[in-house]
Amino acid sequence: VHIFSQSHLCLVMYQVLKEAVCGLIAVSWLASRPIRIKQARNLSSSSPVVSDSARFSHWTLIESCPAKDSWQAVGIGGRNRIAMSGPSSGCGFLMSVVVHGDLALNEQEKELNQRLKRLYPAVNEQETPLPRSWSPKDKFSYIGLSQNNLRVHYKGHGKTPKDAASVRATHPIPAACGVYYFEVKIISKGRDGYMGIGLSAQGVNMNRLPGWDKHSYGYHGDDGHSFCSSGTGQPYGPTFTTGDVIGCCVNLINNTCFYTKNGHSLGIAFTDLPPNLYPTVGLQTPGEVVDANFGQHPFVFDIEDYMREWRTKIQAQIDRFPIGEREGEWQAMIQKMVASYLVHHSYCATAEAFAKSTDQAVHEELASIKNRQKIQKLVLSGRMGEAIETTQQLYPSLLERNQDLLFMLKVRQFIEMVNGTDSEVRCLGGRSPKSQDCYPGSPRLFNSPVHKASSSQTYQTGTAEVEMELDHFSNGVSESSSNGFLNGSSTHGIDLEECDGDMGEIIIWRQLCGGSQAAIERMIQFGRELQSMSEHLRRERGKNSANKKMLKDAFSLLAYSDPWSSPVGYQLDSIQREPVCSTLNSAILETHNLPKQPPLALSVGQAAQCLSLMARTGSGSCAFASVDDYLH
Amino acid sequence: MMACLLEAPLRISVLSEVTATSRHYVDRLFDPDPQNVLQGVIDMKNAVIGNNRQKANLIVLGAVPRLLYLLQQSSSSLELRTECAVVLGSLAMGTENNIKSLVDCHIIPALLQGLLCSDLIFIEACLRCLRTVFISPVTPVQLLYTDPTVIPHLMSLLSRSQHTQEYITQIFAHCCKTPEHQTVLFNHGAIQNIAPLLISPSFKVRMQALKCFSVLAYENAQVSMTLVNVLVDGEQLSQVFVRMMQRDKPIEMQLTAAKCLTYMCRAGAIRTDDNCIVLKTLPCLVRMCSKERLLEERVEGAETLAYLMEPDIELQRIASVTDHLVSMLADYFKYPSSVSAITDIKRLDHDLKHAHELRQAAFKLYASLGSNDEDIRKKITETENMMDRIVSGLSESSIKVRLAAVRCLHSLSRSVQQLRTSFHDHAVWKPLMKLLQNAPDEVLVMASSTLCNLLLEFSPSKEPILESGVIELLCSLTQSDSPALRVNGIWALMNMAFQADQKVKVEIVRALGTEQLFRLLSDPDTNVLMKTLGLLRNLLSTRPHIDQVMSSHGKQIMQAVTLILEGEHSIEVKEQTLCILANIADGNTAKELIMTNDDMLQKIKYYMGHSNVKLQLAATFCISNLIWNEEDGSQERQDKLRDMGFVDILHKLTQASDPNLCDRAKTAMQHTPWWIEALMLWTPFGES
């Protein structure tokens, strides 16, 4: 990516974001309309029965929808391919703490983590950790720290300004905060109350008060002046002393800073601030003691209200971003994006209806779409064995050529065996429910990094309304194509009757492999096969840490009497089928020279990627432009 | 705008043509076939939308009475009646002249009558039209209250639909202009009926409901006290308002919610140290003053903030350090800016229109900020060109600006330091004197009040003001009908007479005239009386002045003193009077006026034994002056007073619990050593 200048980049980002987001809005808007397209169960009807309105904007997608969990690569400007991390990238640090639970967090730390997460959701703490305390390493010797490095006291002679001493926080303020805030309470003003609160860059002399040197900024208690990289202050605010709470707010969007005193904003103190500043305090006379609050406690000043204002401003800026003279082009592009998305995820009936009403051509044969849909359905209902078999039948060379993919599918099959959902063990188990899966068949649109519990719940309640499209080709698909190519073999109609009809049923008890001894034996045998396949792969193609970890995690399930509630139990969650499903779908599409990512998901990914690039290049507005906000 | 530009040159040639088509529309209203009439009204509706000239033509051609007739006829179909209301509503959307014509045709009672119909669509059309008529400044709001059944009926319609809610609350918000209106609405359950609308799903309804509360609560303790106890969906109303002030809410909503809380606070329903005032309302109003806001919002924000903190020094202190408010206000004086004049004629027009409003709002806010705290006053006077701005504000053409400027000056004049420095440096007394020559009472009150401060003894402006012939002016103020002006006039004279030359005192007495002086002593306003007594006291200060004044006006003064001491007056008034008496007792010849007046001596004796220490002290002071033994005839006076029984009283007072009184009595006793001896005999153990 060529970065011409920050502001230019910023604009380009916004444009990309805006474009992507508009597409999203179109689709998510579709999804939220109350009128539904119902797929007819009638076998003779191959096209959907569309409710009165022919305007596509009034439809809701009700087909079962695979949601993908990550896109492996996105292109920007067609030149760069950037590997993206998984869904937890936004809050990796916090997640790891929560998941492993090794750390006995005390209440204060928990509160701190919660507050920081709420205030700065866009910050990726693995990349840019937030300041949580003062740094015991980055301070002058006259500074003493106590109380978890939150309390600062002066321990020098305090005779002349040469005895001034400062301390910086552990980390600089990440740009992705958008708006950053911390407070300092004056516990004692000591002898003269020569205290300075502010910001400084790494490497600024600590034998000084904040504000006196280049890249250093401070507000001083004795005279109420602000010091902007200068030994002489400017009249700024009131003086402060014992008992006062002074806040410092950095706006990383317009690079300004203002202070607060006892919850009252004192107005802008500094403009044109450089990036990567650290919270800093400086003391100069004996007895001076101050406590920092980086989010450990509620703030006196209502910073969230200030953030609300900026969020609104940024969002208004995005909404008002001009699209210029490309109005017509715009609409056509959005329609294309929506259509390709529907095709990609094999919502064939909806795709057909959409294409008809918007006058577009579908670039893939209908039957081919249906084949992919069939496979996805199997994966998402946990019937991996059948999914692999079907794939091998329809796309004979695909898995042979792609051993890693096959391995991944088999590991998933193993997990589904443990789960008791894979068809092989289900047959052995003799349990009546054919599918214990409660995969909602939701119109989940895209992978969103964090799956909100509420949204999936909403979809689950709607399960009863969902009618599978699968019925109408249970006798096999044999339509021949007049144009386009036929994807896969169309002659093998696989009887999918089995997997229909039990969507609403949720199994409450959980037993290993569905509780059957035979099934357990089959599972163990399968595990051995998997192990040998893994060894085989390693011999042939060298070590693959991803594969190794995958297998290890899967086998770990057997180490627990109740795998579902074990630390590795998340693998059994049906949501974990989604990445598998999308990887397989992408692989199929790729073999036929179709994009392995739908353009819509690509642009969402691109927008998200732009945001993280903005965070890295110091554009604070990324904090208030979360892609998630546009995916209702 | 466009229509106006076109109209002027084209009017004559086009008028006849236009009138012809317009006439056709009106004629169709008289068609015998009701179906044709309906179609005619619908066509008329489409013709008038957005066309002011067409609207004016139809009105001139008499469409309104016919439409009203059709609307009121019960034989008309509901559809026709509704369409008539819609057309009338459209006509009302035009110019102010249109509204006047509609009101003259009695549209209001007709539409109000229409509200009694049961059909919601028709009611909404009537309300929409009524709303448009009532929010116009040319409509007399009283028309809403003429029929006492109207308000309760409107209240009952609030539950019908979001539209009725929006229109009715908008009507209330515009038509509640006096305390009487507030009471009428309050008594008909406005609060209970409107409060739930604050959480309506419609933004317009929430906004209009909020506006209703701001006009209802303004300077109304009854409404405000009720509001604090109202719950909306389980939440206190003040919290609902606080939420409406969140920074992501529309500015109009933030500002109006801040007004509601301000009015509730000023009415005493919310404490000034409540968090919702200190941490929410005040910062919100300061934000409204920022450069980012529209000029109108900045004006309203500043005025509301000034009103909020006027009585509370703590709020003034907080506001003075919030977001650089003091320097932010300096920006209010920069309109129209030099940029707007060159670049954009529309902007210049807009700036000019608001320039006066901005300046007066800034002056008001400065006045409020500086009314108590010396540091804040200093900060204000040190703001760029502040004193110059006030000086030029004093002579601006707009009365509002002059008044606000003089208020600001008055507030700053409470500072001794400013009186001595910036006030003198900028010769503020000059424009102030000019302002006093010919101004409405409102301005005069403030200006004369400021003058009082400028005439204080330590003020360097006192001399030049004296020389400018201010005495005549002040004397004329004392004859005003307004008590405030009389107080200020006499107050200024009192300040002027303090430690003044004989010449000045004589001039004051001459210019005021004894007759006026004594008229003021019987003024119904206690403040006037107090300041007049103060003036007398200042006139009767050094011994030669006392004797001189008393020799010429002694009789009247003694009469007045007697009258006041005998009358029903407050302790303060009587104390002041006794002090005058004490001053008289200090004169050489004037003393005799008391000594020869046994009745007066009895009164002094009475007050020495009064239950109020202040009065005892003043009376004792008076006696002390009379028995002062360094003067001629002190022996005789002492004898007489002893015979009248003052010894006992004085002795008792030497044992008073109040230290001042005790000292005063002892000092007096020292001048009469033989009194002490007499007492020694009388009380063997004596007193130290």
Side-chain angles (χ1 to χ4, degrees), chain A residues 236 238 262-268 302 305-306 308-309 312-313, chain B residues 245-248 278-280 282-283 287 292 318 321-324:
Chain A
Y236 168 66
N262 301 328
H264 292 281
S265 161
L266 304 177
I268 299 284
D302 191 349
D305 200 23
Y306 180 75
R308 268 196 287 272
E309 183 180 339
T312 315
K313 274 187 197 174
Chain B
M245 286 192 298
Q246 281 180 357
R247 296 169 82 147
D248 54 348
V278 181
L279 289 175
K280 296 290 173 191
L282 184 138
R287 286 202 302 277
E292 289 170 44
I318 293 169
V321 299
T322 300
D323 287 340
H324 305 300

mmCIF file of all heavy atoms in Angstrom, chain A residues 236 238 262-268 302 305-306 308-309 312-313, chain B residues 245-248 278-280 282-283 287 292 318 321-324:
data_model
loop_
_atom_site.group_PDB
_atom_site.id
_atom_site.type_symbol
_atom_site.label_atom_id
_atom_site.label_comp_id
_atom_site.label_asym_id
_atom_site.label_seq_id
_atom_site.Cartn_x
_atom_site.Cartn_y
_atom_site.Cartn_z
ATOM 1 N N TYR A 236 -3.517 29.098 31.543
ATOM 2 C CA TYR A 236 -4.438 28.104 30.980
ATOM 3 C C TYR A 236 -5.676 27.909 31.847
ATOM 4 O O TYR A 236 -6.789 28.185 31.430
ATOM 5 C CB TYR A 236 -3.716 26.778 30.778
ATOM 6 C CG TYR A 236 -4.654 25.624 30.473
ATOM 7 C CD1 TYR A 236 -5.378 25.589 29.292
ATOM 8 C CD2 TYR A 236 -4.841 24.596 31.397
ATOM 9 C CE1 TYR A 236 -6.256 24.554 29.019
ATOM 10 C CE2 TYR A 236 -5.719 23.558 31.126
ATOM 11 C CZ TYR A 236 -6.423 23.539 29.937
ATOM 12 O OH TYR A 236 -7.298 22.515 29.680
ATOM 13 N N PRO A 238 -7.289 27.032 36.216
ATOM 14 C CA PRO A 238 -7.109 27.336 37.632
ATOM 15 C C PRO A 238 -5.921 26.556 38.207
ATOM 16 O O PRO A 238 -5.459 25.600 37.584
ATOM 17 C CB PRO A 238 -8.414 26.869 38.251
ATOM 18 C CG PRO A 238 -8.917 25.808 37.337
ATOM 19 C CD PRO A 238 -8.454 26.175 35.968
ATOM 20 N N ASN A 262 -11.851 18.354 38.613
ATOM 21 C CA ASN A 262 -13.022 17.905 39.363
ATOM 22 C C ASN A 262 -14.250 17.711 38.469
ATOM 23 O O ASN A 262 -15.359 18.100 38.819
ATOM 24 C CB ASN A 262 -13.329 18.873 40.505
ATOM 25 C CG ASN A 262 -12.167 18.992 41.462
ATOM 26 O OD1 ASN A 262 -11.427 18.024 41.673
ATOM 27 N ND2 ASN A 262 -11.959 20.173 42.018
ATOM 28 N N GLY A 263 -14.024 17.168 37.304
ATOM 29 C CA GLY A 263 -15.130 16.838 36.412
ATOM 30 C C GLY A 263 -15.552 17.944 35.466
ATOM 31 O O GLY A 263 -16.502 17.773 34.711
ATOM 32 N N HIS A 264 -14.828 19.078 35.483
ATOM 33 C CA HIS A 264 -15.187 20.176 34.583
ATOM 34 C C HIS A 264 -14.110 20.375 33.534
ATOM 35 O O HIS A 264 -12.933 20.514 33.869
ATOM 36 C CB HIS A 264 -15.399 21.460 35.370
ATOM 37 C CG HIS A 264 -16.596 21.403 36.245
ATOM 38 N ND1 HIS A 264 -17.867 21.581 35.760
ATOM 39 C CD2 HIS A 264 -16.723 21.133 37.557
ATOM 40 C CE1 HIS A 264 -18.728 21.428 36.744
ATOM 41 N NE2 HIS A 264 -18.067 21.154 37.846
ATOM 42 N N SER A 265 -14.550 20.408 32.297
ATOM 43 C CA SER A 265 -13.595 20.583 31.208
ATOM 44 C C SER A 265 -13.023 22.002 31.233
ATOM 45 O O SER A 265 -13.753 22.979 31.402
ATOM 46 C CB SER A 265 -14.320 20.334 29.885
ATOM 47 O OG SER A 265 -13.603 20.892 28.831
ATOM 48 N N LEU A 266 -11.705 22.093 31.081
ATOM 49 C CA LEU A 266 -11.069 23.411 31.151
ATOM 50 C C LEU A 266 -10.768 23.980 29.771
ATOM 51 O O LEU A 266 -10.232 25.079 29.661
ATOM 52 C CB LEU A 266 -9.762 23.320 31.961
ATOM 53 C CG LEU A 266 -9.908 22.759 33.381
ATOM 54 C CD1 LEU A 266 -8.550 22.660 34.052
ATOM 55 C CD2 LEU A 266 -10.838 23.625 34.210
ATOM 56 N N GLY A 267 -11.091 23.241 28.718
ATOM 57 C CA GLY A 267 -10.852 23.754 27.368
ATOM 58 C C GLY A 267 -9.521 23.272 26.806
ATOM 59 O O GLY A 267 -8.658 22.796 27.534
ATOM 60 N N ILE A 268 -9.394 23.418 25.488
ATOM 61 C CA ILE A 268 -8.206 22.922 24.775
ATOM 62 C C ILE A 268 -6.934 23.526 25.361
ATOM 63 O O ILE A 268 -6.843 24.740 25.568
ATOM 64 C CB ILE A 268 -8.293 23.297 23.279
ATOM 65 C CG1 ILE A 268 -9.524 22.670 22.632
ATOM 66 C CG2 ILE A 268 -7.006 22.891 22.545
ATOM 67 C CD1 ILE A 268 -9.417 21.215 22.345
ATOM 68 N N ASP A 302 -17.249 13.008 32.749
ATOM 69 C CA ASP A 302 -18.041 12.094 31.927
ATOM 70 C C ASP A 302 -17.411 11.966 30.541
ATOM 71 O O ASP A 302 -17.851 12.566 29.565
ATOM 72 C CB ASP A 302 -19.483 12.603 31.816
ATOM 73 C CG ASP A 302 -20.409 11.570 31.215
ATOM 74 O OD1 ASP A 302 -19.901 10.552 30.707
ATOM 75 O OD2 ASP A 302 -21.628 11.777 31.261
ATOM 76 N N ASP A 305 -19.512 10.628 27.531
ATOM 77 C CA ASP A 305 -20.377 11.590 26.861
ATOM 78 C C ASP A 305 -19.595 12.307 25.755
ATOM 79 O O ASP A 305 -20.091 12.511 24.650
ATOM 80 C CB ASP A 305 -20.904 12.596 27.890
ATOM 81 C CG ASP A 305 -22.156 13.301 27.410
ATOM 82 O OD1 ASP A 305 -22.848 12.744 26.541
ATOM 83 O OD2 ASP A 305 -22.435 14.403 27.904
ATOM 84 N N TYR A 306 -18.361 12.667 26.079
ATOM 85 C CA TYR A 306 -17.505 13.321 25.081
ATOM 86 C C TYR A 306 -17.253 12.386 23.896
ATOM 87 O O TYR A 306 -17.293 12.792 22.740
ATOM 88 C CB TYR A 306 -16.188 13.720 25.749
ATOM 89 C CG TYR A 306 -15.191 14.406 24.832
ATOM 90 C CD1 TYR A 306 -15.373 15.734 24.450
ATOM 91 C CD2 TYR A 306 -14.070 13.730 24.353
ATOM 92 C CE1 TYR A 306 -14.468 16.353 23.621
ATOM 93 C CE2 TYR A 306 -13.161 14.362 23.521
ATOM 94 C CZ TYR A 306 -13.362 15.676 23.153
ATOM 95 O OH TYR A 306 -12.467 16.285 22.329
ATOM 96 N N ARG A 308 -19.188 10.000 22.911
ATOM 97 C CA ARG A 308 -20.427 9.893 22.129
ATOM 98 C C ARG A 308 -20.486 10.987 21.071
ATOM 99 O O ARG A 308 -20.866 10.758 19.941
ATOM 100 C CB ARG A 308 -21.639 10.033 23.050
ATOM 101 C CG ARG A 308 -22.161 8.737 23.588
ATOM 102 C CD ARG A 308 -23.552 8.929 24.151
ATOM 103 N NE ARG A 308 -23.542 9.642 25.407
ATOM 104 C CZ ARG A 308 -23.406 9.059 26.602
ATOM 105 N NH1 ARG A 308 -23.309 7.757 26.681
ATOM 106 N NH2 ARG A 308 -23.391 9.772 27.692
ATOM 107 N N GLU A 309 -20.100 12.189 21.465
ATOM 108 C CA GLU A 309 -20.140 13.316 20.536
ATOM 109 C C GLU A 309 -19.230 13.039 19.336
ATOM 110 O O GLU A 309 -19.615 13.252 18.187
ATOM 111 C CB GLU A 309 -19.694 14.589 21.252
ATOM 112 C CG GLU A 309 -19.773 15.817 20.378
ATOM 113 C CD GLU A 309 -19.328 17.079 21.098
ATOM 114 O OE1 GLU A 309 -19.341 17.108 22.348
ATOM 115 O OE2 GLU A 309 -18.952 18.028 20.407
ATOM 116 N N THR A 312 -20.558 10.327 17.006
ATOM 117 C CA THR A 312 -21.597 10.886 16.145
ATOM 118 C C THR A 312 -20.974 11.708 15.016
ATOM 119 O O THR A 312 -21.414 11.635 13.872
ATOM 120 C CB THR A 312 -22.544 11.784 16.968
ATOM 121 O OG1 THR A 312 -22.855 11.096 18.169
ATOM 122 C CG2 THR A 312 -23.795 12.093 16.232
ATOM 123 N N LYS A 313 -19.959 12.485 15.352
ATOM 124 C CA LYS A 313 -19.323 13.326 14.334
ATOM 125 C C LYS A 313 -18.697 12.483 13.226
ATOM 126 O O LYS A 313 -18.871 12.777 12.045
ATOM 127 C CB LYS A 313 -18.204 14.162 14.981
ATOM 128 C CG LYS A 313 -18.673 15.466 15.584
ATOM 129 C CD LYS A 313 -17.476 16.285 16.033
ATOM 130 C CE LYS A 313 -17.906 17.372 17.001
ATOM 131 N NZ LYS A 313 -16.804 18.100 17.579
ATOM 132 N N MET B 245 -29.547 15.813 27.319
ATOM 133 C CA MET B 245 -28.410 16.722 27.146
ATOM 134 C C MET B 245 -27.149 15.994 26.698
ATOM 135 O O MET B 245 -26.107 16.621 26.564
ATOM 136 C CB MET B 245 -28.117 17.459 28.455
ATOM 137 C CG MET B 245 -29.118 18.546 28.785
ATOM 138 S SD MET B 245 -28.546 19.596 30.119
ATOM 139 C CE MET B 245 -28.418 18.452 31.454
ATOM 140 N N GLN B 246 -27.241 14.673 26.507
ATOM 141 C CA GLN B 246 -26.050 13.952 26.066
ATOM 142 C C GLN B 246 -25.516 14.551 24.768
ATOM 143 O O GLN B 246 -26.275 15.019 23.932
ATOM 144 C CB GLN B 246 -26.392 12.471 25.841
ATOM 145 C CG GLN B 246 -26.459 11.698 27.123
ATOM 146 C CD GLN B 246 -26.808 10.244 26.892
ATOM 147 O OE1 GLN B 246 -27.063 9.823 25.771
ATOM 148 N NE2 GLN B 246 -26.818 9.474 27.959
ATOM 149 N N ARG B 247 -24.209 14.466 24.637
ATOM 150 C CA ARG B 247 -23.552 15.226 23.574
ATOM 151 C C ARG B 247 -23.811 14.701 22.178
ATOM 152 O O ARG B 247 -23.483 15.371 21.196
ATOM 153 C CB ARG B 247 -22.046 15.265 23.844
ATOM 154 C CG ARG B 247 -21.738 16.009 25.124
ATOM 155 C CD ARG B 247 -20.311 15.848 25.549
ATOM 156 N NE ARG B 247 -19.462 16.779 24.836
ATOM 157 C CZ ARG B 247 -18.375 17.332 25.379
ATOM 158 N NH1 ARG B 247 -18.020 17.047 26.606
ATOM 159 N NH2 ARG B 247 -17.643 18.153 24.687
ATOM 160 N N ASP B 248 -24.395 13.511 22.059
ATOM 161 C CA ASP B 248 -24.705 13.031 20.718
ATOM 162 C C ASP B 248 -26.145 13.341 20.331
ATOM 163 O O ASP B 248 -26.576 13.033 19.227
ATOM 164 C CB ASP B 248 -24.439 11.523 20.597
ATOM 165 C CG ASP B 248 -25.164 10.721 21.663
ATOM 166 O OD1 ASP B 248 -25.669 11.339 22.622
ATOM 167 O OD2 ASP B 248 -25.231 9.492 21.550
ATOM 168 N N VAL B 278 -24.515 21.082 38.229
ATOM 169 C CA VAL B 278 -23.086 21.396 38.220
ATOM 170 C C VAL B 278 -22.336 20.636 37.127
ATOM 171 O O VAL B 278 -21.530 21.215 36.391
ATOM 172 C CB VAL B 278 -22.462 21.068 39.597
ATOM 173 C CG1 VAL B 278 -20.992 21.411 39.607
ATOM 174 C CG2 VAL B 278 -23.182 21.830 40.684
ATOM 175 N N LEU B 279 -22.621 19.334 37.015
ATOM 176 C CA LEU B 279 -21.833 18.519 36.087
ATOM 177 C C LEU B 279 -22.500 18.332 34.725
ATOM 178 O O LEU B 279 -21.867 17.836 33.787
ATOM 179 C CB LEU B 279 -21.542 17.147 36.701
ATOM 180 C CG LEU B 279 -20.550 17.131 37.864
ATOM 181 C CD1 LEU B 279 -20.436 15.743 38.465
ATOM 182 C CD2 LEU B 279 -19.181 17.619 37.423
ATOM 183 N N LYS B 280 -23.774 18.694 34.613
ATOM 184 C CA LYS B 280 -24.448 18.436 33.333
ATOM 185 C C LYS B 280 -24.973 19.723 32.679
ATOM 186 O O LYS B 280 -24.599 20.055 31.562
ATOM 187 C CB LYS B 280 -25.609 17.457 33.534
ATOM 188 C CG LYS B 280 -25.179 16.087 33.996
ATOM 189 C CD LYS B 280 -24.453 15.328 32.909
ATOM 190 C CE LYS B 280 -23.876 14.043 33.436
ATOM 191 N NZ LYS B 280 -22.952 13.429 32.475
ATOM 192 N N LEU B 282 -24.682 22.997 33.451
ATOM 193 C CA LEU B 282 -23.729 24.095 33.246
ATOM 194 C C LEU B 282 -22.749 23.795 32.106
ATOM 195 O O LEU B 282 -22.612 24.602 31.185
ATOM 196 C CB LEU B 282 -23.011 24.389 34.561
ATOM 197 C CG LEU B 282 -22.051 25.575 34.534
ATOM 198 C CD1 LEU B 282 -22.184 26.396 35.803
ATOM 199 C CD2 LEU B 282 -20.617 25.151 34.362
ATOM 200 N N PRO B 283 -22.101 22.611 32.100
ATOM 201 C CA PRO B 283 -21.192 22.348 30.976
ATOM 202 C C PRO B 283 -21.920 22.332 29.629
ATOM 203 O O PRO B 283 -21.371 22.781 28.632
ATOM 204 C CB PRO B 283 -20.633 20.956 31.285
ATOM 205 C CG PRO B 283 -20.869 20.734 32.719
ATOM 206 C CD PRO B 283 -22.066 21.527 33.100
ATOM 207 N N ARG B 287 -21.023 24.668 26.429
ATOM 208 C CA ARG B 287 -20.782 24.153 25.079
ATOM 209 C C ARG B 287 -21.606 24.894 24.032
ATOM 210 O O ARG B 287 -21.181 25.090 22.907
ATOM 211 C CB ARG B 287 -21.142 22.665 25.015
ATOM 212 C CG ARG B 287 -20.166 21.748 25.696
ATOM 213 C CD ARG B 287 -20.296 20.332 25.144
ATOM 214 N NE ARG B 287 -21.625 19.771 25.287
ATOM 215 C CZ ARG B 287 -22.082 19.184 26.398
ATOM 216 N NH1 ARG B 287 -21.291 19.078 27.446
ATOM 217 N NH2 ARG B 287 -23.298 18.696 26.462
ATOM 218 N N GLU B 292 -18.495 26.523 17.504
ATOM 219 C CA GLU B 292 -19.060 25.531 16.597
ATOM 220 C C GLU B 292 -20.579 25.650 16.462
ATOM 221 O O GLU B 292 -21.160 25.146 15.521
ATOM 222 C CB GLU B 292 -18.752 24.109 17.100
ATOM 223 C CG GLU B 292 -17.312 23.723 16.968
ATOM 224 C CD GLU B 292 -17.036 22.423 17.713
ATOM 225 O OE1 GLU B 292 -17.834 21.487 17.605
ATOM 226 O OE2 GLU B 292 -16.017 22.370 18.416
ATOM 227 N N ILE B 318 -17.241 28.002 38.742
ATOM 228 C CA ILE B 318 -17.030 26.851 37.865
ATOM 229 C C ILE B 318 -17.095 27.284 36.399
ATOM 230 O O ILE B 318 -16.231 26.945 35.593
ATOM 231 C CB ILE B 318 -18.073 25.752 38.161
ATOM 232 C CG1 ILE B 318 -17.824 25.168 39.552
ATOM 233 C CG2 ILE B 318 -18.012 24.655 37.110
ATOM 234 C CD1 ILE B 318 -18.938 24.274 40.056
ATOM 235 N N VAL B 321 -14.049 28.908 34.758
ATOM 236 C CA VAL B 321 -12.889 28.114 34.335
ATOM 237 C C VAL B 321 -13.269 27.029 33.322
ATOM 238 O O VAL B 321 -12.416 26.278 32.873
ATOM 239 C CB VAL B 321 -12.167 27.440 35.531
ATOM 240 C CG1 VAL B 321 -11.638 28.479 36.487
ATOM 241 C CG2 VAL B 321 -13.053 26.438 36.234
ATOM 242 N N THR B 322 -14.549 26.930 32.977
ATOM 243 C CA THR B 322 -14.962 25.869 32.058
ATOM 244 C C THR B 322 -14.707 26.276 30.606
ATOM 245 O O THR B 322 -15.184 27.327 30.161
ATOM 246 C CB THR B 322 -16.458 25.536 32.254
ATOM 247 O OG1 THR B 322 -16.656 25.110 33.602
ATOM 248 C CG2 THR B 322 -16.904 24.418 31.320
ATOM 249 N N ASP B 323 -13.969 25.431 29.910
ATOM 250 C CA ASP B 323 -13.750 25.600 28.465
ATOM 251 C C ASP B 323 -13.411 27.029 28.039
ATOM 252 O O ASP B 323 -13.867 27.493 26.987
ATOM 253 C CB ASP B 323 -14.988 25.112 27.682
ATOM 254 C CG ASP B 323 -15.090 23.598 27.681
ATOM 255 O OD1 ASP B 323 -14.066 22.934 27.930
ATOM 256 O OD2 ASP B 323 -16.197 23.086 27.441
ATOM 257 N N HIS B 324 -12.629 27.724 28.813
ATOM 258 C CA HIS B 324 -12.202 29.090 28.457
ATOM 259 C C HIS B 324 -13.390 29.997 28.166
ATOM 260 O O HIS B 324 -13.360 30.805 27.224
ATOM 261 C CB HIS B 324 -11.300 29.079 27.222
ATOM 262 C CG HIS B 324 -10.105 28.193 27.348
ATOM 263 N ND1 HIS B 324 -9.158 28.374 28.334
ATOM 264 C CD2 HIS B 324 -9.680 27.132 26.624
ATOM 265 C CE1 HIS B 324 -8.216 27.453 28.199
ATOM 266 N NE2 HIS B 324 -8.511 26.677 27.184
#
